[in-house]
Amino acid sequence: MSSKGAELVVRALEQQGVEIIFGYPGGAIMPVYDALLNSSVKHILARHEQGAALAADAYARVTGRPGVCMATSGPGATNLVTGIANAFMDSVPLVVITGQVPTTVMGTDAFQEVDVFGITMPIVKHSFIVRRAEDIPKTIALAFQIAAEGRPGPVLVDLPKDIANAVPAHAPIYETRRPKRVVPDAAQVQAARELILGAQRPVLYGGGGIPIAGAVDAFRAYARASGIPVVTTLKGLGSVSTRDENFLGMLGMHGNRAANRAIQESDLLICVGARFDDRATGKLDGFAPKASVIHMDADPSEIGKLRFADAGLLGDLVESLAAMPTGLDIAPWQQWCAARKVEHAWRYDAPGDDIYVPHMLRRLTEEAPDVTIACDVGQHQMWVAQHCHFDRPEQHLTSAGLGTMGYGIPAGIGACLARPGARVVTVSGDGSIMMNIQELQTIKRYGLDLKILLVDNSSLGMVRQWQQLFHGERYSEVDLSDNPDFVEVARSFGIPAFRITRRDEVEGAIRRLLDTEGPLLAHVCIDPKSNVWPLVPPGQSNDVMMEELSA
Amino acid sequence: MNHTLQMNLHQVEGALIRLLGLIERRGFAVTSMNAYTGEQHVEVTVDIHSAGRSVETLTRQIQKLYDVRSVACLTAAEAPAALGGSVAC
Ligand SMILES: Cc1ncc(C[n+]2csc(CCOP(=O)(O)OP(=O)(O)O)c2C)c(N)n1
């Protein structure tokens, strides 16, 4: 029996082992939605295509397999754009299927025609327009392969409606080749070994490439065996447990002072799956000024992109790490780092009765070490990165490269669906939550056990902080004191909610979040003037860290 | 710095735009170009200019494009370029 193009799409998804996809229907994608009715693939209806794309992104981060999202042409497709960019910036494997107007009218400004292939070109790893129904099996298979191999990323498949409705004469099943493992160059491995053996003050600088490469265990093993102090980027958090004695903290703009000082002092930076992003390095030519660099990455174009690498190890991080020497003689340096770690340890003895968010977040992960935290963007995101404990990188879902406000709730949804039964908490801000508030209905619809910790400072806190510090306290469009009553908002979506305003209510709120079955929103009201410390001012080098301004 | 790059692409929808878009986005101006379409492939030669970006990094970025079969830089190797003062916000 011959199948329509749309059925071939769904069959190709099944063949890839896809269990869940996220999306929103509409005219041009209707043939695929029709075919889905006969499929084992479960479709999650988000309430905005951006929510679908961001949920698929988080699903991919947690499962390690490509996430899939789908939308119709025109506005459906443009609504996906932020989600695609988010996945691109954080190297997340995503397969995006968009309906398109029929090929016969493409290029005529037909109803809901948008050149999504063109719009997304700078933010996809690759993209296809399917022009013949018989190409569908191959195209979908390639999309999954390209999305996942090497450095992952989003792949778009634009599917015109007439192709989805066409019945091809034959549609061969397409098998993809297995990705080839790239092994690092032997001469570079040797150069790296010599650099490490000659170093007095080496630092491991770990990034999001570690979990992507499946190299968490290898990274930990090397960190432990070598005793080299570890700092990580935002996305690298959890690559070694944040409780590990060798772990100094996150580096960069809102990093820990011990981590930044160790980097600035180091004579050898071993960069593992990180990319010298400006939020991590501060002023680039002042970053680790005394250090040689070993750069390990799966992406050849990252090595040497922003900082010269004395040794560049391209390929499998597991192999590169396994080839590095241990038994180093760096005790004085380890002691210096340990002392800095004690000297700059976070303090939680803030005066007053107001809720101190850093302490609340710390307590949350002390009480629930297994928790997965999905973050939104702003001050609360930085507090999560600074103060929460993570045993594994998959426990920390954060929009790092793009900084997408509105990531938190969809990401929490994706995480709940990726690991049913897992404990997931979205930490959001009063600005961010409104960007995808409609997804509260998705939580309700699918009965997801997602907890939401909404940190409300009645403002766009991170922007307000910059206006205070770098724009002479000229506050422009950051006041959100006219927010809706978030407890009532949640309840109207059928999600129970409660509010706290005082520090002595924090422990009870954490217990309630952890002990309640089903979704729950905690509305946490804090001092609108709270700031994130320390902070490297934009454009400065990482040794210029501002501390809390005395009130 | 001026450079000449020679590329061979699969002749598929979007390949040329994707290539040129990447070159401009990564901070290079195209000062001259020539494209010749064969049966299945496209031969592209471009002259590019950039104030401070590394052409070596650019060629690796081009090489990663799925539709690109080969890329060659026809000008001499350069000293590794460093980005000037931090411009990020
Ligand atoms: C979609 C989007 N728009 C704008 C910004 C710029 N931005 C970064 S943080 C921030 C404020 C976030 O406010 P809120 O969610 O309340 O978190 P807070 O900083 O107060 O913790 C803004 C507007 C962004 N990152 N994303």
Side-chain angles (χ1 to χ4, degrees):
Chain A
M1 199 189 75
S2 31
S3 306
K4 289 206 314 189
E7 289 157 350
L8 296 176
V9 171
V10 173
R11 205 177 300 158
L13 295 177
E14 288 167 353
Q15 215 193 323
Q16 292 291 332
V18 172
E19 291 166 10
I20 290 182
I21 67 177
F22 302 83
Y24 206 96
I29 193 80
M30 281 177 70
V32 179
Y33 274 83
D34 189 78
L36 271 178
L37 288 174
N38 298 331
S39 169
S40 59
V41 174
K42 181 173 178 184
H43 179 273
I44 301 295
L45 180 74
R47 293 307 173 96
H48 187 297
E49 290 85 353
Q50 184 187 117
L54 294 175
D57 163 307
Y59 183 86
R61 292 187 205 220
V62 175
T63 61
R65 287 173 300 167
V68 183
C69 63
M70 197 156 85
T72 193
S73 67
T78 54
N79 273 350
L80 290 174
V81 168
T82 300
I84 299 171
N86 195 70
F88 183 74
M89 292 297 280
D90 281 351
S91 308
V92 176
L94 199 64
V95 172
V96 184
I97 301 172
T98 46
Q100 183 54 279
V101 300
T103 51
T104 45
V105 295
M106 277 173 76
T108 67
D109 309 316
F111 176 65
Q112 293 195 328
E113 181 185 1
V114 135
D115 175 12
V116 69
F117 183 74
I119 288 173
T120 56
M121 217 170 245
I123 52 166
V124 293
K125 189 170 169 195
H126 192 58
S127 48
F128 300 92
I129 299 178
V130 189
R131 295 280 181 179
R132 304 183 319 169
E134 53 264 43
D135 292 340
I136 287 174
K138 178 175 179 180
T139 306
I140 301 280
L142 277 177
F144 276 84
Q145 177 188 315
I146 296 168
E149 76 183 356
R151 180 177 183 171
V155 177
L156 176 99
V157 179
D158 198 26
L159 180 69
K161 191 170 184 179
D162 55 334
I163 306 300
N165 279 326
V167 179
H170 64 100
I173 300 254
Y174 184 81
E175 299 275 343
T176 47
R177 59 178 165 76
R178 284 166 149 277
K180 50 183 187 308
R181 278 167 93 85
V182 182
V183 290
D185 178 72
Q188 294 294 309
V189 168
Q190 192 48 37
R193 287 182 55 88
E194 281 162 22
L195 283 168
I196 292 176
L197 289 169
Q200 321 260 290
R201 300 184 305 280
V203 172
L204 278 161
Y205 154 38
I210 295 170
I212 290 172
V216 172
D217 292 341
F219 184 70
R220 291 177 175 203
Y222 183 63
R224 196 168 314 125
S226 67
I228 299 175
V230 178
V231 307
T232 71
T233 66
L234 181 61
K235 270 190 71 200
L237 281 171
S239 293
V240 295
S241 168
T242 53
R243 294 179 175 83
D244 195 287
E245 63 173 336
N246 270 349
F247 178 63
L248 298 177
M250 179 173 78
L251 83 163
M253 180 175 274
H254 286 296
N256 184 288
R257 205 178 249 274
N260 279 339
R261 284 188 64 185
I263 292 259
Q264 294 306 88
E265 276 306 306
S266 73
D267 63 354
L268 176 65
L269 214 52
I270 309 165
C271 172
V272 186
R275 59 185 176 88
F276 295 86
D277 170 71
D278 58 85
R279 283 290 180 274
T281 63
K283 187 167 176 242
L284 195 57
D285 48 17
F287 180 66
K290 306 167 195 161
S292 307
V293 171
I294 298 171
H295 197 161
M296 304 180 185
D297 209 289
D299 180 349
S301 70
E302 284 302 338
I303 295 174
K305 181 180 80 174
L306 291 165
R307 170 84 179 236
F308 176 75
D310 300 271
L313 277 62
L314 172 65
D316 192 351
L317 295 185
V318 176
E319 300 228 8
S320 294
L321 286 163
M324 293 301 107
T326 55
L328 311 179
D329 186 13
I330 52 170
W333 171 238
Q334 290 168 317
Q335 283 153 18
W336 186 88
C337 288
R340 297 295 77 71
K341 185 171 171 172
V342 171
E343 181 186 352
H344 301 299
W346 301 116
R347 293 183 56 171
Y348 296 104
D349 51 356
D353 299 331
D354 283 333
I355 292 169
Y356 187 54
V357 182
H359 187 238
M360 176 178 71
L361 292 168
R362 181 71 155 212
R363 290 287 304 130
L364 173 68
T365 51
E366 279 170 3
E367 288 297 302
D370 61 333
V371 70
T372 295
I373 295 196
C375 252
D376 252 308
V377 168
Q379 294 177 314
H380 61 281
Q381 177 191 30
M382 292 299 109
W383 283 322
V384 165
Q386 292 175 330
H387 303 287
C388 287
H389 275 307
F390 297 106
D391 286 327
R392 303 280 309 180
E394 306 80 41
Q395 282 181 278
H396 179 226
L397 302 172
T398 200
S399 171
L402 196 65
T404 309
M405 288 173 69
Y407 184 64
I409 292 183
I413 290 170
C416 285
L417 288 160
R419 283 183 53 211
R423 199 196 277 289
V424 185
V425 177
T426 284
V427 177
S428 188
D430 53 310
S432 293
I433 198 169
M434 293 290 269
M435 293 243 173
N436 275 315
I437 191 90
Q438 77 287 346
E439 301 308 331
L440 290 177
Q441 197 58 33
T442 312
I443 301 172
K444 178 67 184 169
R445 183 185 183 99
Y446 297 99
L448 302 177
D449 190 355
L450 178 62
K451 305 299 192 291
I452 300 171
L453 191 61
L454 169 58
V455 178
D456 183 353
N457 52 8
S458 299
S459 67
L460 297 172
M462 187 57 100
V463 181
R464 190 201 44 69
Q465 176 169 352
W466 279 44
Q467 290 176 350
Q468 180 188 352
L469 300 178
F470 310 123
H471 290 261
E473 301 186 41
R474 286 163 54 83
Y475 297 111
S476 180
E477 302 294 331
V478 290
D479 176 78
L480 297 185
S481 54
D482 59 349
N483 274 323
D485 179 331
F486 287 111
V487 170
E488 288 303 321
V489 169
R491 286 184 184 149
S492 71
F493 280 96
I495 295 175
F498 67 95
R499 172 175 300 122
I500 60 169
T501 56
R502 292 192 324 272
R503 192 175 292 184
D504 59 10
E505 297 172 298
V506 166
E507 290 295 320
I510 289 174
R511 279 271 51 97
R512 212 165 145 188
L513 281 178
L514 297 179
D515 295 344
T516 306
E517 287 248 339
L520 180 63
L521 181 143
H523 181 218
V524 180
C525 300
I526 66 161
D527 178 1
K529 294 191 290 300
S530 310
N531 281 337
V532 182
W533 305 110
L535 175 152
V536 177
Q540 299 272 8
S541 99
N542 279 352
D543 29 33
V544 188
M545 292 205 91
M546 291 174 72
E547 287 294 343
E548 174 141 28
L549 304 177
S550 45
Chain B
M1 284 281 275
N2 297 307
H3 298 278
T4 301
L5 298 182
Q6 199 169 65
M7 277 110 3
N8 188 281
L9 317 180
H10 288 289
Q11 199 199 334
V12 292
E13 194 163 3
L16 199 55
I17 298 284
R18 206 186 293 277
L19 171 69
L20 294 173
L22 181 138
I23 292 173
E24 288 211 333
R25 206 159 48 246
R26 294 298 189 175
F28 291 79
V30 175
T31 53
S32 147
M33 71 166 286
N34 190 313
Y36 168 78
T37 305
E39 289 265 296
Q40 288 172 5
H41 302 141
V42 190
E43 272 295 325
V44 188
T45 309
V46 293
D47 293 334
I48 54 173
H49 170 82
S50 162
R53 298 293 174 94
S54 146
V55 75
E56 224 181 294
T57 299
L58 179 71
T59 52
R60 288 196 219 124
Q61 287 162 338
I62 292 173
Q63 185 72 64
K64 279 196 333 178
L65 294 179
Y66 190 74
D67 299 332
V68 171
R69 298 175 68 231
S70 66
V71 49
C73 182
L74 304 184
T75 40
E78 59 187 24
L83 284 192
S86 190
V87 286
C89 61

